[in-house]
mmCIF file of all heavy atoms in Angstrom:
data_model
loop_
_atom_site.group_PDB
_atom_site.id
_atom_site.type_symbol
_atom_site.label_atom_id
_atom_site.label_comp_id
_atom_site.label_asym_id
_atom_site.label_seq_id
_atom_site.Cartn_x
_atom_site.Cartn_y
_atom_site.Cartn_z
ATOM 1 N N THR B 93 -13.809 24.781 -45.820
ATOM 2 C CA THR B 93 -13.022 25.294 -44.685
ATOM 3 C C THR B 93 -12.332 26.608 -45.015
ATOM 4 O O THR B 93 -12.132 27.431 -44.165
ATOM 5 C CB THR B 93 -11.951 24.276 -44.255
ATOM 6 O OG1 THR B 93 -11.194 23.907 -45.393
ATOM 7 C CG2 THR B 93 -12.577 23.049 -43.626
ATOM 8 N N LYS B 94 -11.956 26.759 -46.260
ATOM 9 C CA LYS B 94 -11.176 27.947 -46.615
ATOM 10 C C LYS B 94 -12.023 29.213 -46.642
ATOM 11 O O LYS B 94 -11.747 30.182 -45.981
ATOM 12 C CB LYS B 94 -10.523 27.757 -47.990
ATOM 13 C CG LYS B 94 -9.202 27.008 -47.955
ATOM 14 C CD LYS B 94 -8.627 26.874 -49.344
ATOM 15 C CE LYS B 94 -7.592 25.747 -49.361
ATOM 16 N NZ LYS B 94 -7.198 25.419 -50.741
ATOM 17 N N SER B 95 -13.053 29.174 -47.411
ATOM 18 C CA SER B 95 -13.836 30.412 -47.623
ATOM 19 C C SER B 95 -15.317 30.150 -47.473
ATOM 20 O O SER B 95 -15.742 29.052 -47.171
ATOM 21 C CB SER B 95 -13.533 30.951 -49.011
ATOM 22 O OG SER B 95 -13.853 29.953 -49.962
ATOM 23 N N LYS B 96 -16.057 31.208 -47.693
ATOM 24 C CA LYS B 96 -17.509 31.099 -47.594
ATOM 25 C C LYS B 96 -18.023 30.119 -48.651
ATOM 26 O O LYS B 96 -17.617 30.155 -49.803
ATOM 27 C CB LYS B 96 -18.120 32.480 -47.874
ATOM 28 C CG LYS B 96 -19.032 32.964 -46.770
ATOM 29 C CD LYS B 96 -19.583 34.312 -47.145
ATOM 30 C CE LYS B 96 -20.439 34.846 -46.025
ATOM 31 N NZ LYS B 96 -20.965 36.168 -46.370
ATOM 32 N N PHE B 97 -18.916 29.238 -48.246
ATOM 33 C CA PHE B 97 -19.391 28.202 -49.158
ATOM 34 C C PHE B 97 -20.389 28.780 -50.153
ATOM 35 O O PHE B 97 -21.279 29.544 -49.800
ATOM 36 C CB PHE B 97 -20.042 27.065 -48.360
ATOM 37 C CG PHE B 97 -20.760 26.079 -49.234
ATOM 38 C CD1 PHE B 97 -20.053 25.169 -49.985
ATOM 39 C CD2 PHE B 97 -22.136 26.101 -49.316
ATOM 40 C CE1 PHE B 97 -20.710 24.267 -50.788
ATOM 41 C CE2 PHE B 97 -22.803 25.193 -50.119
ATOM 42 C CZ PHE B 97 -22.088 24.279 -50.855
ATOM 43 N N GLN B 98 -20.179 28.396 -51.370
ATOM 44 C CA GLN B 98 -21.137 28.784 -52.414
ATOM 45 C C GLN B 98 -21.638 27.537 -53.109
ATOM 46 O O GLN B 98 -20.858 26.667 -53.472
ATOM 47 C CB GLN B 98 -20.462 29.718 -53.426
ATOM 48 C CG GLN B 98 -20.237 31.110 -52.875
ATOM 49 C CD GLN B 98 -19.489 31.974 -53.855
ATOM 50 O OE1 GLN B 98 -18.919 31.490 -54.827
ATOM 51 N NE2 GLN B 98 -19.486 33.266 -53.588
ATOM 52 N N GLU B 99 -22.905 27.477 -53.274
ATOM 53 C CA GLU B 99 -23.528 26.285 -53.872
ATOM 54 C C GLU B 99 -22.964 25.987 -55.264
ATOM 55 O O GLU B 99 -22.908 24.863 -55.697
ATOM 56 C CB GLU B 99 -25.054 26.464 -53.935
ATOM 57 C CG GLU B 99 -25.782 25.146 -54.093
ATOM 58 C CD GLU B 99 -26.899 24.948 -53.084
ATOM 59 O OE1 GLU B 99 -26.860 25.509 -51.986
ATOM 60 O OE2 GLU B 99 -27.814 24.201 -53.417
ATOM 61 N N SER B 100 -22.520 27.014 -55.904
ATOM 62 C CA SER B 100 -21.961 26.833 -57.272
ATOM 63 C C SER B 100 -20.684 26.003 -57.240
ATOM 64 O O SER B 100 -20.339 25.354 -58.215
ATOM 65 C CB SER B 100 -21.696 28.187 -57.913
ATOM 66 O OG SER B 100 -20.846 28.938 -57.060
ATOM 67 N N ASP B 101 -19.973 26.013 -56.122
ATOM 68 C CA ASP B 101 -18.707 25.272 -55.995
ATOM 69 C C ASP B 101 -18.868 23.791 -56.294
ATOM 70 O O ASP B 101 -18.029 23.185 -56.933
ATOM 71 C CB ASP B 101 -18.113 25.431 -54.591
ATOM 72 C CG ASP B 101 -17.485 26.784 -54.399
ATOM 73 O OD1 ASP B 101 -17.073 27.380 -55.403
ATOM 74 O OD2 ASP B 101 -17.409 27.228 -53.243
ATOM 75 N N CYS B 102 -19.955 23.212 -55.791
ATOM 76 C CA CYS B 102 -20.129 21.766 -55.958
ATOM 77 C C CYS B 102 -20.350 21.400 -57.414
ATOM 78 O O CYS B 102 -19.903 20.362 -57.874
ATOM 79 C CB CYS B 102 -21.287 21.270 -55.108
ATOM 80 S SG CYS B 102 -22.891 21.782 -55.692
ATOM 81 N N ILE B 103 -21.033 22.247 -58.113
ATOM 82 C CA ILE B 103 -21.379 21.930 -59.503
ATOM 83 C C ILE B 103 -20.112 21.872 -60.370
ATOM 84 O O ILE B 103 -20.031 21.124 -61.320
ATOM 85 C CB ILE B 103 -22.422 22.950 -60.042
ATOM 86 C CG1 ILE B 103 -23.703 22.834 -59.189
ATOM 87 C CG2 ILE B 103 -22.719 22.708 -61.513
ATOM 88 C CD1 ILE B 103 -24.629 23.996 -59.301
ATOM 89 N N LYS B 104 -19.071 22.637 -59.964
ATOM 90 C CA LYS B 104 -17.799 22.610 -60.694
ATOM 91 C C LYS B 104 -17.218 21.209 -60.781
ATOM 92 O O LYS B 104 -16.639 20.819 -61.769
ATOM 93 C CB LYS B 104 -16.776 23.488 -59.961
ATOM 94 C CG LYS B 104 -16.721 24.919 -60.384
ATOM 95 C CD LYS B 104 -15.495 25.554 -59.768
ATOM 96 C CE LYS B 104 -15.857 26.939 -59.306
ATOM 97 N NZ LYS B 104 -14.760 27.562 -58.585
ATOM 98 N N PHE B 105 -17.408 20.458 -59.663
ATOM 99 C CA PHE B 105 -16.718 19.176 -59.570
ATOM 100 C C PHE B 105 -17.528 17.980 -60.055
ATOM 101 O O PHE B 105 -17.015 16.892 -60.183
ATOM 102 C CB PHE B 105 -16.289 18.905 -58.121
ATOM 103 C CG PHE B 105 -15.352 19.954 -57.615
ATOM 104 C CD1 PHE B 105 -15.803 20.964 -56.772
ATOM 105 C CD2 PHE B 105 -14.026 19.951 -58.018
ATOM 106 C CE1 PHE B 105 -14.932 21.936 -56.321
ATOM 107 C CE2 PHE B 105 -13.171 20.927 -57.554
ATOM 108 C CZ PHE B 105 -13.618 21.933 -56.706
ATOM 109 N N PHE B 106 -18.811 18.157 -60.309
ATOM 110 C CA PHE B 106 -19.559 16.969 -60.712
ATOM 111 C C PHE B 106 -19.609 16.882 -62.243
ATOM 112 O O PHE B 106 -19.517 17.862 -62.947
ATOM 113 C CB PHE B 106 -20.951 16.975 -60.063
ATOM 114 C CG PHE B 106 -22.088 17.332 -60.972
ATOM 115 C CD1 PHE B 106 -22.757 16.325 -61.648
ATOM 116 C CD2 PHE B 106 -22.463 18.652 -61.176
ATOM 117 C CE1 PHE B 106 -23.812 16.662 -62.479
ATOM 118 C CE2 PHE B 106 -23.503 18.975 -61.994
ATOM 119 C CZ PHE B 106 -24.195 17.975 -62.654
ATOM 120 N N CYS B 107 -19.709 15.654 -62.698
ATOM 121 C CA CYS B 107 -19.536 15.429 -64.130
ATOM 122 C C CYS B 107 -20.791 15.121 -64.932
ATOM 123 O O CYS B 107 -20.773 15.154 -66.144
ATOM 124 C CB CYS B 107 -18.492 14.353 -64.367
ATOM 125 S SG CYS B 107 -18.390 13.155 -63.052
ATOM 126 N N GLY B 108 -21.888 14.790 -64.268
ATOM 127 C CA GLY B 108 -23.046 14.438 -65.079
ATOM 128 C C GLY B 108 -24.357 14.767 -64.403
ATOM 129 O O GLY B 108 -24.434 14.807 -63.177
ATOM 130 N N THR B 109 -25.424 15.028 -65.099
ATOM 131 C CA THR B 109 -26.724 15.433 -64.529
ATOM 132 C C THR B 109 -27.311 14.355 -63.638
ATOM 133 O O THR B 109 -27.944 14.650 -62.635
ATOM 134 C CB THR B 109 -27.753 15.762 -65.622
ATOM 135 O OG1 THR B 109 -27.667 14.764 -66.632
ATOM 136 C CG2 THR B 109 -27.516 17.146 -66.198
ATOM 137 N N ARG B 110 -27.061 13.086 -64.006
ATOM 138 C CA ARG B 110 -27.656 12.014 -63.174
ATOM 139 C C ARG B 110 -27.059 11.964 -61.781
ATOM 140 O O ARG B 110 -27.632 11.455 -60.860
ATOM 141 C CB ARG B 110 -27.524 10.667 -63.886
ATOM 142 C CG ARG B 110 -26.080 10.281 -64.129
ATOM 143 C CD ARG B 110 -26.004 9.098 -64.992
ATOM 144 N NE ARG B 110 -24.664 8.994 -65.557
ATOM 145 C CZ ARG B 110 -24.245 7.943 -66.228
ATOM 146 N NH1 ARG B 110 -25.050 6.931 -66.431
ATOM 147 N NH2 ARG B 110 -23.038 7.918 -66.710
ATOM 148 N N HIS B 111 -25.838 12.535 -61.598
ATOM 149 C CA HIS B 111 -25.186 12.559 -60.276
ATOM 150 C C HIS B 111 -25.545 13.794 -59.456
ATOM 151 O O HIS B 111 -25.160 13.910 -58.314
ATOM 152 C CB HIS B 111 -23.658 12.498 -60.422
ATOM 153 C CG HIS B 111 -23.191 11.227 -61.040
ATOM 154 N ND1 HIS B 111 -23.259 10.025 -60.385
ATOM 155 C CD2 HIS B 111 -22.659 10.986 -62.255
ATOM 156 C CE1 HIS B 111 -22.759 9.083 -61.186
ATOM 157 N NE2 HIS B 111 -22.398 9.644 -62.324
ATOM 158 N N LEU B 112 -26.284 14.727 -60.031
ATOM 159 C CA LEU B 112 -26.543 16.039 -59.408
ATOM 160 C C LEU B 112 -27.174 15.907 -58.019
ATOM 161 O O LEU B 112 -26.705 16.496 -57.064
ATOM 162 C CB LEU B 112 -27.444 16.894 -60.329
ATOM 163 C CG LEU B 112 -27.857 18.255 -59.766
ATOM 164 C CD1 LEU B 112 -26.646 19.139 -59.551
ATOM 165 C CD2 LEU B 112 -28.848 18.935 -60.680
ATOM 166 N N ILE B 113 -28.276 15.105 -57.955
ATOM 167 C CA ILE B 113 -29.009 14.979 -56.673
ATOM 168 C C ILE B 113 -28.096 14.434 -55.579
ATOM 169 O O ILE B 113 -28.062 14.918 -54.464
ATOM 170 C CB ILE B 113 -30.256 14.081 -56.844
ATOM 171 C CG1 ILE B 113 -31.206 14.714 -57.859
ATOM 172 C CG2 ILE B 113 -30.930 13.852 -55.493
ATOM 173 C CD1 ILE B 113 -32.226 13.750 -58.402
ATOM 174 N N PHE B 114 -27.327 13.428 -55.956
ATOM 175 C CA PHE B 114 -26.407 12.801 -54.994
ATOM 176 C C PHE B 114 -25.421 13.817 -54.445
ATOM 177 O O PHE B 114 -25.197 13.915 -53.249
ATOM 178 C CB PHE B 114 -25.672 11.632 -55.656
ATOM 179 C CG PHE B 114 -24.578 11.067 -54.795
ATOM 180 C CD1 PHE B 114 -24.875 10.143 -53.804
ATOM 181 C CD2 PHE B 114 -23.265 11.494 -54.961
ATOM 182 C CE1 PHE B 114 -23.866 9.637 -53.002
ATOM 183 C CE2 PHE B 114 -22.257 10.983 -54.154
ATOM 184 C CZ PHE B 114 -22.564 10.051 -53.179
ATOM 185 N N TRP B 115 -24.865 14.614 -55.342
ATOM 186 C CA TRP B 115 -23.865 15.590 -54.936
ATOM 187 C C TRP B 115 -24.435 16.646 -54.010
ATOM 188 O O TRP B 115 -23.806 17.050 -53.036
ATOM 189 C CB TRP B 115 -23.235 16.274 -56.169
ATOM 190 C CG TRP B 115 -22.089 15.448 -56.696
ATOM 191 C CD1 TRP B 115 -22.068 14.706 -57.825
ATOM 192 C CD2 TRP B 115 -20.809 15.296 -56.095
ATOM 193 N NE1 TRP B 115 -20.871 14.078 -57.979
ATOM 194 C CE2 TRP B 115 -20.058 14.419 -56.908
ATOM 195 C CE3 TRP B 115 -20.213 15.792 -54.933
ATOM 196 C CZ2 TRP B 115 -18.754 14.056 -56.633
ATOM 197 C CZ3 TRP B 115 -18.909 15.419 -54.651
ATOM 198 C CH2 TRP B 115 -18.196 14.547 -55.501
ATOM 199 N N ILE B 116 -25.640 17.122 -54.317
ATOM 200 C CA ILE B 116 -26.237 18.165 -53.467
ATOM 201 C C ILE B 116 -26.466 17.628 -52.051
ATOM 202 O O ILE B 116 -26.164 18.290 -51.067
ATOM 203 C CB ILE B 116 -27.551 18.701 -54.091
ATOM 204 C CG1 ILE B 116 -27.193 19.533 -55.324
ATOM 205 C CG2 ILE B 116 -28.343 19.524 -53.071
ATOM 206 C CD1 ILE B 116 -28.387 20.041 -56.087
ATOM 207 N N LEU B 117 -26.960 16.392 -51.976
ATOM 208 C CA LEU B 117 -27.172 15.765 -50.659
ATOM 209 C C LEU B 117 -25.861 15.614 -49.898
ATOM 210 O O LEU B 117 -25.774 15.874 -48.714
ATOM 211 C CB LEU B 117 -27.832 14.392 -50.825
ATOM 212 C CG LEU B 117 -29.290 14.393 -51.262
ATOM 213 C CD1 LEU B 117 -29.722 12.980 -51.612
ATOM 214 C CD2 LEU B 117 -30.196 14.956 -50.181
ATOM 215 N N PHE B 118 -24.849 15.233 -50.661
ATOM 216 C CA PHE B 118 -23.503 15.024 -50.083
ATOM 217 C C PHE B 118 -22.972 16.320 -49.487
ATOM 218 O O PHE B 118 -22.468 16.370 -48.385
ATOM 219 C CB PHE B 118 -22.583 14.482 -51.175
ATOM 220 C CG PHE B 118 -21.174 14.276 -50.720
ATOM 221 C CD1 PHE B 118 -20.803 13.124 -50.050
ATOM 222 C CD2 PHE B 118 -20.209 15.253 -50.961
ATOM 223 C CE1 PHE B 118 -19.493 12.941 -49.631
ATOM 224 C CE2 PHE B 118 -18.908 15.070 -50.543
ATOM 225 C CZ PHE B 118 -18.544 13.911 -49.875
ATOM 226 N N ILE B 119 -23.119 17.390 -50.237
ATOM 227 C CA ILE B 119 -22.625 18.697 -49.777
ATOM 228 C C ILE B 119 -23.375 19.161 -48.546
ATOM 229 O O ILE B 119 -22.788 19.687 -47.617
ATOM 230 C CB ILE B 119 -22.730 19.763 -50.917
ATOM 231 C CG1 ILE B 119 -21.813 19.386 -52.067
ATOM 232 C CG2 ILE B 119 -22.420 21.155 -50.387
ATOM 233 C CD1 ILE B 119 -20.355 19.242 -51.715
ATOM 234 N N LYS B 120 -24.707 18.927 -48.542
ATOM 235 C CA LYS B 120 -25.498 19.325 -47.377
ATOM 236 C C LYS B 120 -25.006 18.640 -46.100
ATOM 237 O O LYS B 120 -24.950 19.228 -45.035
ATOM 238 C CB LYS B 120 -26.979 18.994 -47.617
ATOM 239 C CG LYS B 120 -27.680 20.020 -48.462
ATOM 240 C CD LYS B 120 -29.177 19.815 -48.488
ATOM 241 C CE LYS B 120 -29.810 20.942 -49.279
ATOM 242 N NZ LYS B 120 -31.234 20.699 -49.514
ATOM 243 N N GLU B 121 -24.604 17.378 -46.280
ATOM 244 C CA GLU B 121 -24.054 16.605 -45.153
ATOM 245 C C GLU B 121 -22.777 17.243 -44.632
ATOM 246 O O GLU B 121 -22.558 17.363 -43.433
ATOM 247 C CB GLU B 121 -23.793 15.152 -45.601
ATOM 248 C CG GLU B 121 -23.314 14.215 -44.506
ATOM 249 C CD GLU B 121 -24.322 13.968 -43.395
ATOM 250 O OE1 GLU B 121 -25.530 13.895 -43.691
ATOM 251 O OE2 GLU B 121 -23.898 13.888 -42.231
ATOM 252 N N GLU B 122 -21.928 17.656 -45.579
ATOM 253 C CA GLU B 122 -20.653 18.282 -45.212
ATOM 254 C C GLU B 122 -20.867 19.598 -44.475
ATOM 255 O O GLU B 122 -20.161 19.943 -43.559
ATOM 256 C CB GLU B 122 -19.779 18.517 -46.462
ATOM 257 C CG GLU B 122 -19.394 17.241 -47.198
ATOM 258 C CD GLU B 122 -18.291 16.436 -46.514
ATOM 259 O OE1 GLU B 122 -18.118 16.527 -45.298
ATOM 260 O OE2 GLU B 122 -17.601 15.703 -47.224
ATOM 261 N N ILE B 123 -21.875 20.378 -44.946
ATOM 262 C CA ILE B 123 -22.172 21.665 -44.288
ATOM 263 C C ILE B 123 -22.563 21.414 -42.830
ATOM 264 O O ILE B 123 -22.117 22.111 -41.922
ATOM 265 C CB ILE B 123 -23.326 22.422 -44.988
ATOM 266 C CG1 ILE B 123 -22.961 22.741 -46.443
ATOM 267 C CG2 ILE B 123 -23.650 23.712 -44.242
ATOM 268 C CD1 ILE B 123 -24.164 23.197 -47.256
ATOM 269 N N LYS B 124 -23.380 20.372 -42.687
ATOM 270 C CA LYS B 124 -23.857 20.024 -41.329
ATOM 271 C C LYS B 124 -22.670 19.721 -40.414
ATOM 272 O O LYS B 124 -22.580 20.207 -39.298
ATOM 273 C CB LYS B 124 -24.771 18.810 -41.446
ATOM 274 C CG LYS B 124 -25.566 18.497 -40.186
ATOM 275 C CD LYS B 124 -26.560 17.375 -40.471
ATOM 276 C CE LYS B 124 -26.733 16.508 -39.256
ATOM 277 N NZ LYS B 124 -27.324 15.207 -39.609
#
Side-chain angles (χ1 to χ4, degrees):
Chain B
T93 52
K94 276 180 199 169
S95 58
K96 235 180 183 179
F97 170 75
Q98 286 176 346
E99 199 129 334
S100 56
D101 284 334
C102 71
I103 298 162
K104 269 191 220 174
F105 299 102
F106 105 91
C107 29
T109 44
R110 61 189 162 171
H111 296 290
L112 177 63
I113 298 163
F114 172 83
W115 274 107
I116 289 176
L117 289 170
F118 178 83
I119 295 302
K120 279 190 176 172
E121 184 65 37
E122 298 284 26
I123 299 167
K124 192 173 146 198

